[in-house]
Amino acid sequence: MKDFLINLDRRFIFIFVAIGVILPALTTFPLPIKPTANVRAIYNTIEEVAAQNGTVLISFDYGPGSMPEIQPMTLSVLRHCFSKKVKVVGMCLWPQAVGLVQQALDTTSKEFDAQYGTDYVFLGYKTGMHSLVINMGRDFQGTYPQDLQGNNTADLAVTQRIFGLKDFDYVICLAAGNTPDGVWIPYGQERYKFKFGIGCTAVMAPDQFPYLQSGQMNGLMGGLAGAAEYEKLINTPGTATDGMRPQSVVHVIIILFILLGNTIYFLYDRKKGGAK
Amino acid sequence: MRYILLCLTLLFCMCPVQAQQPTQIQTMDTPNDAGGSITLTWNRADLPPKSVYKIAIGESPNGPFYLATELPTTANLMSDDPATFGHGDETAQTHFFNITEYQDTNNTEKPLKLETDKTYYVQITTQLPNGQMLPSNISPATAIQNLFNKTKINNFILGTVFSLIILIAIYMARRHEMYIRRIAGLEALDEALGRATEMGKPVFFAHGLHPMGSVSTIAAVNILSRIARRTAEFNTELKVANNDPIVMAVSREVVKESYLNAGRPDAYNDDMVFLAATEQFSYAAAVDGMMVRERPAANIMMGYFYAESLLLAETGANIGAIQIAGTDSYTQLPFFITTCDYTLMGEELYAASAYLSREPKLMGSLKGMDVGKAFLLLTLVLGTLLATMGNQTLAHIFTAY
Amino acid sequence: MTRDQIFFITSLFVFFVINIFLLATGSLSPDWAGLGTFIAAGITLSLYSFLYKDNPLFKFTENLYVGVAAAYTMNQVWYTVLLADVINPTFDLNGQTGGNHEWLLIFPVLLGLFMLTQLASDNISWLSRIAFAFVVGLGAGLAIPRTIAANVLAQMQPSMQPITADLAGFNLVVILVGVVTVLIYFFYSVEHTGAVGVASKVGIWFLMISFGASFGYTIMARLSLLIGRAGFLLEDWLNLQLPLF
Amino acid sequence: MLFLRRTLPLLIAFIVGTLGILIYYIPHTAAQDLEQELARWDRIIAAFAMLLGIYSLMSLHLNRVKRQQGGWGYSFLVFLGFGLMILFSLYNDGLGPFKPQVADSGPFVWMFDNVQVPADATMFSILAFFIASAAYRTFRARTPEAAILLVSAIIVMLGRVPIGVLISDWIPWFSQWLMAVPNLAAKRGILLGVSLGAIATSLRIIFGIERSYLGGGE
């Protein structure tokens, strides 16, 4: 039994994880999702923007590789904005985000009957990262003369009176990489002091806390849990809420694996002197 | 006795003073901007609630005046904008307003923007709730383009001082030897190479996925050259798996040179440094396959790794190899720490590279950064102590306005 | 026929049987969308075959994906930058630049073409160094003052707040100790012995807690990705109406 | 000729770098307009840099086929995928390459939705399996530091998922405290260190001390 446990074949564990993911997805059991303060801050800020029917800039910086975590955030934030008549300007710092955002805009705009040009505008992707933010910070319509479909941004109702980043009431960055702390804060928020909230993959979430405490960011949605909390706030459960069940179960499985692995290590393996 | 006198005087100035027009009016160009804006400051006065300040602006002293704005008497205190007006006590007692445009009554479709380098005349009137108007005298002002943003003075000084420290440190590093503390990771590296020689099994090396120009890959190649020297001396087999042709070419040069310096040119052949695969996962799978087949005694991973770090480290741990890793990719560090015997964390990778190569630019930078870290560290402690005792000046100096 | 080949063929056969069944029961529509879901499921399962062993099917799909992804990026670069920001403004192709032609754009385009010479033969590849010098030099210059503002000053000020005698004050003290000891750990001019040794030891504990947090969050992230793909396979491909029970 | 190869690039880096620094402190419109133009040039060159990345990927596979290095057969698939996608991109759902891109219909979008998205998403999700197997087989508390790391990871994982709440209300609170205090402190310490490092590297580039980014030998 001892040897079987120590050099358990990797593929046996793979099957175990697959079951841990599929079974909970097939069933449903209630799990309490309590929105934390950082997620609520984004929700409240959008409510404030809605009160003065302002405009929000959303920067989509992710790819299909992080879709399961970020796409639910995109859908929830868009649904929240469209339901409260908040005008949305979308742009991408990652090329692969264009296709995913286009899908999200098509589905959510139909749900809330949001009109292109008067309720939302999509600018697509441009290269340049920090240079793009410097350019659009000071001369928005010069940097984006046309949107993704070729309409002049000077003619569209949403972007007519937007001349720079300070004209946006709220800037949200939904990111899989370090565009929030590597591009948006040093090259945009630092100069124009706009309110800045982010949704990011769980991998990037721990790195954002210094910026939250310093006030450079005013809200954070971290990973699938963050998306599920936002879905709870706008009470339209989606893939994130459904995903929390398997997520919870698999977390427990991983924790048990770590504990089991280490107990075996301390009982048997260490004497074998695998490492010091 | 003195105490009563004090109460009397206090009592006296509490009684409602007869409201008068705004006092201490100053108009000037708005600082730290590209022109097109005039700043008006005036003393805060005790006025009955719902009274209003009206600011008017005109192009000639007695010409038509147009309304720029209407302000409640509680708004726009200087203390709201410490970046421009600082943190003095008086800022809570003075109002300010930046005039950038005004409404020309005859053509009313768009407000007129203030022009730069043109003199305007500004007047501020206190309008009491009963409609009584108390206008101030008129004072001229001209908006000009500023050449230096004074709110960034702390940024400018900190940047200049730190840059000088770095450049001087690099200059000194070229002149004479500099001390760096011993890097524990490098000792672990030598121990691992020693173990590999005893067991007569190969040593594996991987660079991560960054291209040759990246600081992390340069550090990885510096460390590789030391490993190659050791494997040459100990006559141990070295295998360097690459995923980038340029990095492979540079690594071949470095390994060949190390074997030459160790006096073992014959022991070197090009096959030791090879292209395993180009794509992230195929690269990890290829290297894992080789590790399982050849069971190296030591697996060394230096450079900027992405998600493939776990695939390499897990296989290495399972075949019982001693693993030394070093990466400045903070998302992958946890995986190395829990799977490897020793991990060089973040900047330690650069320190190891400097320690080995003794290059002036690396040594100088390291020493200069040490001075910078010491300065920041002391400022934080001092700043917190002063702030706790109520003195916020240090905290105000270190604020990003 | 090795064990692997048998396993490979049976799994391929099972995959087709399932799809025919889905097509028959109408949950896989016989149009472009249905074909798309079929191919997407095929790609997902062939990439998961890597878990069994690195095999030809995995390499086939991975390399196909690399080609498609490269072309997708090229498409975005062409339509949103080269066409929209270079060709249209220069040649007024879409007639939306009010007739004026921005000939000045020839300089960045030239520098861009210089950059492409890096892969050309040696006698002209030095041109790429001019382009790299411009991009890397400008990037370095723009970065310094903003790094000081956003990553040094803005991070110093919140750690210099007055310590109050409550939980918030306690947190501020812990944060101060953490920042100071981590900075000491990454200190190279002084040997890690004595007081500095103790401080760097405390620094490592803070580092380990923060790496533990990143480690936990990264595990959560990877699991969410797996849950997302399982959701695709179960709901979009197999068309199961969840929850079943 | 040596001036063009070595000195000119370093001169450009110095001029453009110092301008990049100084303009930050100068509000004057002349300086701000120059920064805008430099940033605009940088964006256009960045587009060519991405083409360079794609071009080098393709030439890498081309060389692999020419020299028939291991697995060269698979390189044809890279060309197949690339060629097909480029064709659909030029077709642009009927509008051709000189009209704005059609992002919501057409074969290009179909290929993105049904080939690139599933492949990219699956590729990253494979790691979940490896993490699970490593969790059992390799994540060991070999050293006290690794022990702290694993304990902190377990607390954070429990705190971020509803099951943590079910176990006890303290777990989510403590997990949030771990993130907002010790984790913040360490990340801020690292951030300050990394920022000083980034400034030092940028200085070396501007003053021509660091030249490796130029590449291509001497």
Side-chain angles (χ1 to χ4, degrees):
Chain A
M1 177 57 185
K2 181 183 74 162
D3 293 337
F4 167 74
L5 270 181
I6 286 179
N7 27 47
L8 197 63
D9 185 299
R10 185 191 292 188
R11 276 158 280 206
F12 180 76
I13 298 169
F14 293 164
I15 296 162
F16 201 82
V17 168
I19 295 166
V21 167
I22 291 167
L23 268 186
L26 300 180
T27 65
T28 176
F29 48 90
L31 277 177
I33 296 175
K34 282 206 309 226
T36 54
N38 289 334
V39 175
R40 206 181 285 280
I42 297 179
Y43 180 85
N44 295 342
T45 313
I46 291 183
E47 291 287 314
E48 282 158 28
V49 170
Q52 34 166 308
N53 59 57
T55 310
V56 165
L57 171 70
I58 306 179
S59 172
F60 302 96
D61 315 338
Y62 62 96
S66 328
M67 200 170 72
E69 289 181 280
I70 309 284
Q71 195 75 354
M73 293 181 194
T74 302
L75 293 166
S76 307
V77 168
L78 286 177
R79 284 189 176 115
H80 187 195
C81 288
F82 290 152
S83 63
K84 291 286 169 53
K85 284 282 169 265
V86 167
K87 292 187 279 299
V88 172
V89 174
M91 58 168 281
C92 306
L93 289 180
W94 282 34
Q96 316 94 320
V98 176
L100 302 173
V101 173
Q102 191 64 55
Q103 277 170 21
L105 283 170
D106 295 344
T107 39
T108 47
S109 60
K110 282 193 196 64
E111 282 170 23
F112 294 90
D113 186 28
Q115 303 308 325
Y116 189 84
T118 47
D119 293 317
Y120 71 98
V121 163
F122 186 37
L123 306 170
Y125 167 74
K126 279 204 188 309
T127 53
M129 283 285 185
H130 54 278
S131 302
L132 180 64
V133 172
I134 287 175
N135 275 154
M136 72 186 288
R138 185 157 176 266
D139 174 15
F140 177 78
Q141 294 187 359
T143 313
Y144 286 101
Q146 283 87 34
D147 64 5
L148 189 61
Q149 295 166 12
N151 322 314
N152 284 340
T153 45
D155 310 335
L156 297 169
V158 174
T159 49
Q160 232 166 0
R161 280 181 307 286
I162 302 275
F163 305 104
L165 279 175
K166 63 182 183 332
D167 299 332
F168 287 106
D169 300 301
Y170 194 27
V171 175
I172 299 172
C173 177
L174 299 178
N178 67 350
T179 47
D181 46 323
V183 174
W184 280 105
I185 286 186
Y187 294 90
Q189 203 270 342
E190 185 270 327
R191 169 172 291 191
Y192 300 103
K193 304 284 189 246
F194 45 74
K195 280 206 281 274
F196 182 59
I198 78 160
C200 63
T201 59
V203 177
M204 301 309 297
D207 301 341
Q208 314 307 334
F209 279 83
Y211 298 100
L212 273 167
Q213 194 228 11
S214 71
Q216 292 163 295
M217 278 181 196
N218 86 337
L220 167 70
M221 287 186 278
L224 197 70
E229 283 167 33
Y230 206 90
E231 281 177 359
K232 179 102 167 107
L233 284 172
I234 60 168
N235 55 54
T236 30
T239 52
T241 312
D242 301 341
M244 288 316 279
R245 280 187 299 280
Q247 185 93 33
S248 299
V249 170
V250 177
H251 271 211
V252 172
I253 291 176
I254 298 288
I255 290 168
L256 291 179
F257 273 171
I258 293 178
L259 295 177
L260 190 59
N262 274 284
T263 32
I264 293 171
Y265 171 69
F266 281 106
L267 290 181
Y268 308 111
D269 217 2
R270 208 142 60 122
K271 283 193 291 305
K272 199 168 62 126
K276 74 168 179 331
Chain B
M1 181 46 193
R2 227 171 354 87
Y3 182 71
I4 300 161
L5 204 63
L6 185 66
C7 292
L8 270 177
T9 46
L10 260 178
L11 202 65
F12 172 71
C13 65
M14 282 301 288
C15 65
V17 157
Q18 197 267 339
Q20 82 289 10
Q21 75 273 26
T23 57
Q24 294 271 339
I25 299 147
Q26 279 180 339
T27 52
M28 55 188 168
D29 156 59
T30 309
N32 314 322
D33 69 355
S37 166
I38 288 171
T39 302
L40 175 69
T41 64
W42 66 99
N43 260 6
R44 182 175 179 184
D46 293 341
L47 292 169
K50 283 214 287 313
S51 41
V52 169
Y53 288 121
K54 281 184 179 273
I55 297 175
I57 187 165
E59 288 173 12
S60 76
N62 35 39
F65 278 85
Y66 306 108
L67 176 70
T69 187
E70 260 187 37
L71 287 174
T73 55
T74 54
N76 286 55
L77 287 171
M78 272 197 192
S79 47
D80 304 340
D81 182 4
T84 325
F85 302 105
H87 296 268
D89 299 340
E90 83 292 347
T91 56
Q93 298 313 323
T94 356
H95 291 286
F96 82 97
F97 181 71
N98 298 341
I99 308 164
T100 50
E101 57 188 27
Y102 59 93
Q103 192 62 49
D104 184 346
T105 40
N106 26 47
N107 62 36
T108 56
E109 27 67 31
K110 239 169 28 137
L112 283 173
K113 291 242 180 293
L114 251 66
E115 286 159 45
T116 309
D117 302 325
K118 181 176 175 199
T119 309
Y120 288 90
Y121 297 88
V122 178
Q123 183 185 42
I124 175 165
T125 321
T126 320
Q127 184 188 358
L128 298 178
N130 54 27
Q132 187 193 358
M133 305 284 270
L134 302 161
S136 74
N137 44 36
I138 297 155
S139 46
T142 318
I144 53 166
Q145 299 225 32
N146 310 105
L147 283 178
F148 184 72
N149 185 342
K150 287 199 280 296
T151 62
K152 307 284 181 188
I153 194 85
N154 58 350
N155 185 316
F156 184 76
I157 292 171
L158 195 64
T160 317
V161 167
F162 182 63
S163 302
L164 287 177
I165 292 171
I166 293 281
L167 295 174
I168 292 165
I170 291 175
Y171 178 79
M172 278 161 53
R174 284 199 177 119
R175 291 288 166 287
H176 40 70
E177 201 48 46
M178 276 192 164
Y179 167 77
I180 278 194
R181 68 170 165 84
R182 68 183 174 72
I183 310 280
L186 294 177
E187 262 91 38
L189 196 61
D190 291 343
E191 190 202 320
L193 296 173
R195 283 282 302 280
T197 320
E198 284 158 31
M199 296 157 78
K201 285 207 238 146
V203 171
F204 267 47
F205 184 87
H207 297 80
L209 294 186
H210 265 194
M212 201 52 229
S214 124
V215 183
S216 346
T217 314
I218 295 162
V221 168
N222 280 337
I223 294 170
L224 174 62
S225 77
R226 173 179 174 123
I227 294 171
R229 176 172 303 217
R230 280 284 185 289
T231 52
E233 282 154 14
F234 295 158
N235 195 10
T236 322
E237 193 191 350
L238 171 66
K239 280 202 178 285
V240 182
N242 286 275
N243 55 69
D244 178 312
I246 303 168
V247 175
M248 183 179 76
V250 172
S251 303
R252 272 192 175 145
E253 299 302 327
V254 160
V255 171
K256 188 186 292 181
E257 202 188 325
S258 295
Y259 271 70
L260 216 64
N261 299 350
R264 296 292 313 282
D266 53 302
Y268 169 78
N269 63 56
D270 268 353
D271 301 341
M272 292 160 55
V273 184
F274 53 92
L275 190 71
T278 52
E279 289 316 311
Q280 175 185 27
F281 278 92
S282 304
Y283 171 73
V287 176
D288 282 356
M290 270 182 275
M291 270 203 259
V292 169
R293 276 193 307 278
E294 295 172 31
R295 291 209 165 266
N299 176 28
I300 297 152
M301 297 165 277
M302 297 283 172
Y304 199 95
F305 284 83
Y306 290 86
E308 80 290 349
S309 66
L310 177 63
L311 277 71
L312 298 172
E314 206 226 347
T315 310
N318 280 309
I319 58 165
I322 300 175
Q323 297 202 106
I324 315 281
T327 184
D328 48 350
S329 150
Y330 282 96
T331 41
Q332 302 309 321
L333 264 177
F335 294 103
F336 279 141
I337 292 169
T338 50
T339 51
C340 297
D341 300 286
Y342 196 90
T343 311
L344 285 164
M345 286 193 268
E347 292 161 45
E348 277 184 307
L349 181 67
Y350 311 144
S353 161
Y355 186 89
L356 293 174
S357 61
R358 294 284 160 187
E359 259 184 73
K361 66 178 181 181
L362 293 177
M363 292 290 274
S365 300
L366 215 60
K367 301 298 276 183
M369 278 160 56
D370 268 5
V371 171
K373 281 176 202 160
F375 173 73
L376 293 183
L377 192 134
L378 294 174
T379 311
L380 278 175
V381 174
L382 193 61
T384 308
L385 288 179
L386 285 173
T388 313
M389 289 187 287
N391 177 335
Q392 292 266 8
T393 38
L394 203 56
H396 292 154
I397 293 169
F398 278 86
T399 307
Y401 295 110
Chain C
M1 276 256 278
T2 66
R3 194 166 57 91
D4 288 349
Q5 277 158 348
I6 296 166
F7 181 74
F8 176 75
I9 289 164
T10 43
S11 50
L12 221 61
F13 177 72
V14 165
F15 178 66
F16 276 102
V17 165
I18 293 174
N19 280 299
I20 291 159
F21 169 74
L22 289 172
L23 207 59
T25 56
S27 47
L28 201 63
S29 54
D31 57 7
W32 283 111
L35 178 66
T37 313
F38 165 73
I39 288 180
I43 285 174
T44 304
L45 294 173
S46 64
L47 286 176
Y48 276 144
S49 68
F50 179 80
L51 295 171
Y52 176 70
K53 216 160 81 162
D54 186 10
N55 58 69
L57 188 62
F58 174 80
K59 284 197 167 62
F60 176 94
T61 318
E62 186 186 30
N63 282 277
L64 184 73
Y65 154 63
V66 161
V68 167
Y72 181 87
T73 305
M74 201 158 178
N75 171 75
Q76 296 303 336
V77 164
W78 163 259
Y79 279 105
T80 59
V81 183
L82 296 181
L83 178 63
D85 287 351
V86 176
I87 292 170
N88 284 348
T90 317
F91 306 108
D92 190 13
L93 218 56
N94 57 8
Q96 283 165 317
T97 49
N100 50 39
H101 302 272
E102 291 197 46
W103 301 114
L104 211 59
L105 285 175
I106 191 68
F107 291 110
V109 169
L110 259 179
L111 279 172
L113 295 172
F114 281 0
M115 188 172 265
L116 289 181
T117 62
Q118 187 189 39
L119 283 171
S121 65
D122 267 353
N123 49 28
I124 59 162
S125 74
W126 60 272
L127 280 172
S128 71
R129 303 176 73 186
I130 294 171
F132 276 110
F134 178 89
V135 170
V136 176
L138 177 66
L142 293 174
I144 291 181
R146 290 170 175 88
T147 304
I148 294 171
N151 286 345
V152 178
L153 287 175
Q155 295 299 321
M156 293 280 289
Q157 195 249 346
S159 281
M160 292 155 82
Q161 297 307 314
I163 308 286
T164 52
D166 55 9
L167 179 63
F170 171 73
N171 288 348
L172 280 178
V173 170
V174 171
I175 290 173
L176 181 68
V177 167
V179 174
V180 165
T181 49
V182 163
L183 281 173
I184 288 175
Y185 177 79
F186 288 116
F187 213 64
Y188 301 103
S189 308
V190 176
E191 205 53 50
H192 274 188
T193 54
V196 172
V198 169
S200 74
K201 196 74 186 162
V202 172
I204 286 187
W205 292 343
F206 274 93
L207 283 169
M208 286 307 143
I209 291 174
S210 110
F211 287 145
S214 300
F215 184 73
Y217 268 77
T218 305
I219 292 178
M220 279 171 22
R222 303 298 182 211
L223 295 172
S224 312
L225 304 182
L226 177 58
I227 290 161
R229 289 321 293 164
F232 162 77
L233 287 176
L234 295 173
E235 285 170 62
D236 300 345
W237 179 42
L238 296 176
N239 213 341
L240 301 172
Q241 299 312 326
L242 298 180
L244 289 184
F245 42 84
Chain D
M1 192 46 187
L2 189 63
F3 169 78
L4 289 178
R5 278 180 188 270
R6 267 171 60 84
T7 330
L8 180 61
L10 297 181
L11 203 61
I12 292 174
F14 178 76
I15 293 166
V16 161
T18 350
L19 273 178
I21 299 173
L22 295 179
I23 289 174
Y24 177 80
Y25 303 105
I26 306 169
H28 198 288
T29 38
Q32 293 303 315
D33 291 345
L34 177 60
E35 182 182 72
Q36 286 293 313
E37 207 48 35
L38 286 173
R40 191 171 173 211
W41 285 26
D42 185 53
R43 283 197 294 126
I44 292 166
I45 301 171
F48 285 93
M50 289 192 88
L51 295 184
L52 175 67
I54 295 162
Y55 179 75
S56 63
L57 173 77
M58 287 301 147
S59 66
L60 187 110
H61 282 281
L62 212 61
N63 296 341
R64 229 164 84 163
V65 170
K66 252 185 273 167
R67 289 203 213 93
Q68 307 208 318
Q69 279 167 331
W72 59 273
Y74 294 108
S75 294
F76 286 111
L77 286 159
V78 174
F79 302 138
L80 171 72
F82 185 78
L84 207 60
M85 203 56 167
I86 285 291
L87 267 180
F88 291 151
S89 161
L90 296 175
Y91 172 63
N92 193 18
D93 202 19
L95 297 176
F98 289 95
K99 287 281 179 293
Q101 83 175 291
V102 174
D104 48 12
S105 68
F108 181 81
V109 172
W110 187 88
M111 281 285 284
F112 173 74
D113 292 342
N114 297 304
V115 175
Q116 183 166 345
V117 168
D120 200 36
T122 308
M123 196 68 85
F124 278 92
S125 69
I126 284 179
L127 282 160
F129 290 103
F130 283 101
I131 276 188
S133 89
Y136 176 71
R137 294 169 16 146
T138 16
F139 294 156
R140 294 286 186 268
R142 282 183 177 69
T143 58
E145 288 81 12
I148 300 173
L149 191 146
L150 288 175
V151 168
S152 158
I154 289 172
I155 293 169
V156 158
M157 282 174 74
L158 275 182
R160 284 301 290 158
V161 180
I163 278 192
V165 178
L166 294 181
I167 296 170
S168 105
D169 260 350
W170 275 103
I171 290 187
W173 183 87
F174 187 52
S175 149
Q176 185 59 20
W177 184 83
L178 265 186
M179 297 304 295
V181 180
N183 167 60
L184 184 150
K187 290 286 195 289
R188 177 164 287 161
I190 292 170
L191 187 57
L192 289 175
V194 162
S195 303
L196 294 181
I199 295 168
T201 312
S202 299
L203 275 172
R204 294 201 312 255
I205 288 168
I206 292 171
F207 287 90
I209 303 165
E210 183 74 62
R211 298 195 180 116
S212 59
Y213 71 92
L214 292 175
E218 273 321 293

